[in-house]
Amino acid sequence: MPSLTPKTNVLGFSNAYHLLRRTTYNITKAKILDFATKTPQQALSELFTFSNPVPSSPLNNIGETIVPTASNPTITDSQNTVNSVKYDLYWWLHSALKDPSAQHKIVYFLHILFVTDDGASFWTNFDYRELLRFHANGSLKDLAIRVTQNARMLMFLNNNLNQSNSPNQNYAREFLELFTILKGPQIATGNYTNYTETDVQQAARVLTGFSLTSSIHLDKTARLNSLDPVTNIPTGQVKVNTHDTGNKTFSLAFNAQSITGGTTEATIKTELQNFVTMIFDKDETAKAYCRRMYRYFVGRQITSDIETDIIVPLAASLKADNYNIIPTLTTLLKSKHFYDEEDSITGDQTIGNIVRNPVELYFHLFSLLNLQLPSYTANPSAIHSLMGVVSNYSSNMGMPVFSPQSVNGYAAYSSSPNYDKNWITTSSLRIRYNNTIDFFINGLTYNGFTFKLNNAAFVKDSGYFSNPANADTLVTEFLQMMFVEVPDGTRYDEFKTIFLNNLSPINWQNEWNNYTSSGNANNVKIPIDRLVKAIIKSPEFQIL
């Protein structure tokens, strides 16, 4: 039976790798081996220790700052970078790739919970992502309040147009339906169990007046005149004269609760807090978040037993902790259930049961195979170009990063029952196989830097391979480093055959020894590259 009973012994290689695949974009064999000696609690304590990105904000192609922030309000952008560039996205992707913690994976989870697109300027996109990062070890409830006032969100779902004399229900509807409590079964016209159409109307009234002034809140510099006092991140405004000051009475789904209308900026913000508290006081809100957490970190299938024994107690803990995400996530990720150690057959249910999303595909490839990168501050143009490749092909594979296909988000995180299986389509699979590893075997050169895997030198110098001259040992250790588990039987033989390609094991041994003595990699590069290509283009590498 599913259980949140904690796993207390050391992880070992397989479980350490499982935890890292699910929580970080940056995986190395050294990190797997290090975590293998830790208990889940020790490993999670390290994964949940976050640091600020370096540099702390995006740069232009010549290394100058482009986003004024509260801590660095003066930028050095001599190029007058246009607002449509994606340097903010490329900076975030680079930060995610370099981050050994779980911070960026959690940030993207929060994005999935409170989606916007990136259709505005790079500085408002930056502010939105920084708001998510601020709350990566904070409260979902606090985030729900602050994201409501975020300029990017205000524009995305039109709450900037929501006024007492001209209500706009768009944000109010999505806040209930997609961001918080979610729809339950429809039991009558306009009644979705967890809320009703009346609640949408009353929510829209609460949200009137939360807006922005374009010349201030969408301006690169002036937005710093409107900072949240806690996060120090730009926020929108309350337009008191467009707020519906009347009391708002909700349906029986919320126990007919009445919320007093505010008449000043302070009391209107209190009204918003009371509204959010009303929603977050419902058990179903906590359960909805925990189901989404489970599908993001553990697996798509939630059985009745998992609902009862995992989701319900997790939700109770999340709610009791004021929706602080880290304690609940720690409970889940240190449980025997996460490591599938609840019955006599270990690893058959939660290990390797999620399809890698496109960003994970690229970044795990880069980090596991030690793709060399220039310093971002020294060569931002090259980094921007590389991350442009990641962004463009991820979009073509169904993951336009921070720009979901609709307000529902990404099909792989929102579309039942397949969820993450939606990453795999005929067209996306072609891109996964044709537009990933070949680029980096052949090399991509941008601004004088060539992004190219030197797999022979990696095998020789990394210390990860115990006896590269032995074909079986080399193939096995490569498969162990790249796959959830090492295949056996004929599947293993297929990889060995691809590697040797009619070369005998003794001839491989001779070629390797010649390489180590002469430094000439020509005769070992081709077999190793051939093996690496086969690994990345395999079904096994598509799963976490």
Side-chain angles (χ1 to χ4, degrees):
M1 296 291 288
S3 167
L4 290 172
T5 300
K7 174 181 170 64
T8 56
N9 57 330
V10 297
L11 288 164
F13 187 94
S14 178
N15 284 328
Y17 195 7
H18 172 58
L19 177 61
L20 287 165
R21 286 193 303 269
R22 298 299 174 87
T23 56
T24 181
Y25 294 111
N26 183 316
I27 308 174
T28 64
K29 188 172 181 181
K31 178 64 74 173
I32 301 169
L33 293 170
D34 177 39
F35 272 34
T37 66
K38 300 178 186 293
T39 65
Q41 182 62 62
Q42 291 169 332
L44 289 166
S45 294
E46 186 170 326
L47 285 166
F48 293 152
T49 300
F50 302 154
S51 58
N52 295 328
V54 178
S56 59
S57 67
L59 307 177
N60 63 17
N61 274 339
I62 60 174
E64 298 170 331
T65 55
I66 60 174
V67 179
T69 63
S71 58
N72 293 291
T74 303
I75 60 174
T76 58
D77 183 19
S78 65
Q79 296 188 325
N80 295 316
T81 303
V82 297
N83 68 358
S84 59
V85 300
K86 293 192 174 183
Y87 296 162
D88 62 297
L89 174 60
Y90 302 155
W91 167 83
W92 188 90
L93 287 168
H94 174 263
S95 299
L97 173 59
K98 301 296 286 185
D99 182 8
S101 79
Q103 180 175 211
H104 284 79
K105 284 292 289 284
I106 294 174
V107 166
Y108 213 81
F109 172 62
L110 298 180
H111 164 60
I112 290 164
L113 300 184
F114 297 96
V115 298
T116 66
D117 66 8
D118 63 350
S121 56
F122 61 79
W123 51 88
T124 56
N125 297 333
F126 171 81
D127 293 342
Y128 165 72
R129 291 176 197 133
E130 282 294 275
L131 183 65
L132 300 182
R133 190 171 70 83
F134 182 90
H135 291 88
N137 60 354
S139 165
L140 292 172
K141 181 179 175 182
D142 291 345
L143 176 57
I145 293 170
R146 291 196 177 101
V147 80
T148 297
Q149 302 168 77
N150 172 261
R152 184 68 225 112
M153 184 64 79
L154 287 166
M155 295 287 289
F156 179 57
L157 289 175
N158 311 122
N159 204 72
N160 60 311
L161 305 177
N162 185 18
Q163 303 177 15
S164 57
N165 63 356
S166 180
N168 185 304
Q169 297 180 2
N170 198 12
Y171 182 69
R173 182 174 302 281
E174 308 306 1
F175 191 82
L176 291 166
E177 180 178 342
L178 299 176
F179 294 175
T180 58
I181 197 167
L182 311 188
K183 277 185 176 179
Q186 183 166 348
I187 54 178
T189 301
N191 188 330
Y192 315 111
T193 303
N194 298 333
Y195 67 92
T196 70
E197 285 296 319
T198 295
D199 299 316
V200 173
Q201 295 161 10
Q202 297 303 300
R205 294 179 62 209
V206 170
L207 296 167
T208 52
F210 287 94
S211 189
L212 50 78
T213 298
S214 296
S215 61
I216 298 173
H217 302 94
L218 300 182
D219 182 80
K220 183 161 50 177
T221 302
R223 74 193 214 295
L224 296 182
N225 294 317
S226 180
L227 297 175
D228 181 280
V230 175
T231 67
N232 235 17
I233 296 169
T235 187
Q237 70 182 128
V238 176
K239 294 183 177 180
V240 177
N241 63 334
T242 65
H243 179 69
D244 184 331
T245 59
N247 295 344
K248 290 84 179 175
T249 302
F250 291 81
S251 75
L252 291 175
F254 294 102
N255 305 314
Q257 183 169 336
S258 181
I259 293 179
T260 302
T263 57
T264 66
E265 179 177 350
T267 57
I268 291 169
K269 287 184 175 180
T270 298
E271 181 184 347
L272 172 64
Q273 292 168 357
N274 291 338
F275 165 67
V276 171
T277 296
M278 177 188 74
I279 295 171
F280 279 68
D281 277 347
K282 304 299 289 185
D283 291 344
E284 193 54 43
T285 301
K287 290 178 188 176
Y289 283 129
C290 287
R291 292 184 195 110
R292 299 177 81 175
M293 181 187 296
Y294 186 92
R295 291 191 172 106
Y296 187 80
F297 289 100
V298 185
R300 75 188 71 87
Q301 186 175 15
I302 298 178
T303 65
S304 58
D305 285 343
I306 291 172
E307 176 72 18
T308 300
D309 298 329
I310 302 295
I311 303 302
V312 170
L314 276 181
S317 296
L318 182 65
K319 185 179 173 186
D321 282 327
N322 194 36
Y323 286 84
N324 282 295
I325 188 173
I326 295 298
T328 301
L329 193 52
T330 298
T331 297
L332 178 61
L333 297 182
K334 73 178 183 182
S335 69
K336 290 186 176 181
H337 177 73
F338 178 70
Y339 301 98
D340 195 13
E341 294 185 353
E342 298 162 316
D343 54 34
S344 58
I345 304 175
T346 300
D348 63 323
Q349 294 178 337
T350 63
I351 311 294
N353 68 333
I354 295 180
V355 177
R356 271 189 170 97
N357 73 37
V359 172
E360 291 164 342
L361 181 73
Y362 278 108
F363 284 0
H364 290 170
L365 180 165
F366 293 172
S367 55
L368 284 166
L369 295 174
N370 194 31
L371 180 70
Q372 295 298 297
L373 307 179
S375 161
Y376 178 58
T377 54
N379 197 345
S381 178
I383 293 295
H384 291 161
S385 295
L386 175 67
M387 295 308 159
V389 170
V390 173
S391 173
N392 290 339
Y393 283 107
S394 293
S395 181
N396 292 340
M397 286 187 270
M399 187 181 181
V401 184
F402 284 108
S403 187
Q405 296 96 330
S406 73
V407 71
N408 289 311
Y410 308 85
Y413 296 122
S414 62
S415 184
S416 174
N418 287 330
Y419 291 102
D420 56 284
K421 286 184 177 181
N422 287 305
W423 291 129
I424 302 297
T425 65
T426 302
S427 60
S428 71
L429 193 61
R430 175 179 52 80
I431 297 170
R432 282 174 177 256
Y433 287 177
N434 294 340
N435 300 104
T436 53
I437 187 60
D438 294 274
F439 287 159
F440 302 101
I441 294 288
N442 298 326
L444 294 174
T445 300
Y446 299 112
N447 199 38
F449 189 91
T450 299
F451 297 94
K452 186 173 183 178
L453 292 167
N454 190 339
N455 291 317
F458 174 63
V459 170
K460 179 170 70 73
D461 300 332
S462 65
Y464 298 159
F465 300 90
S466 61
N467 185 11
N470 183 294
D472 274 308
T473 301
L474 179 59
V475 171
T476 297
E477 290 179 345
F478 247 121
L479 296 175
Q480 181 191 46
M481 185 178 73
M482 304 302 290
F483 287 171
V484 171
E485 62 181 1
V486 178
D488 55 16
T490 57
R491 183 59 174 155
Y492 170 83
D493 291 339
E494 289 174 12
F495 287 104
K496 182 179 176 182
T497 299
I498 289 169
F499 170 62
L500 290 174
N501 194 34
N502 297 320
L503 191 70
S504 71
I506 191 64
N507 284 340
W508 165 255
Q509 179 178 311
N510 292 336
E511 295 290 1
W512 182 260
N513 290 336
N514 288 338
Y515 165 51
T516 58
S517 62
S518 70
N520 187 335
N522 289 344
N523 291 339
V524 298
K525 170 181 167 49
I526 293 173
I528 295 174
D529 286 351
R530 194 165 53 230
L531 174 62
V532 168
K533 286 183 181 182
I535 287 171
I536 301 302
K537 296 181 181 185
S538 68
E540 290 91 339
F541 191 70
Q542 311 312 309
I543 59 174
L544 289 169

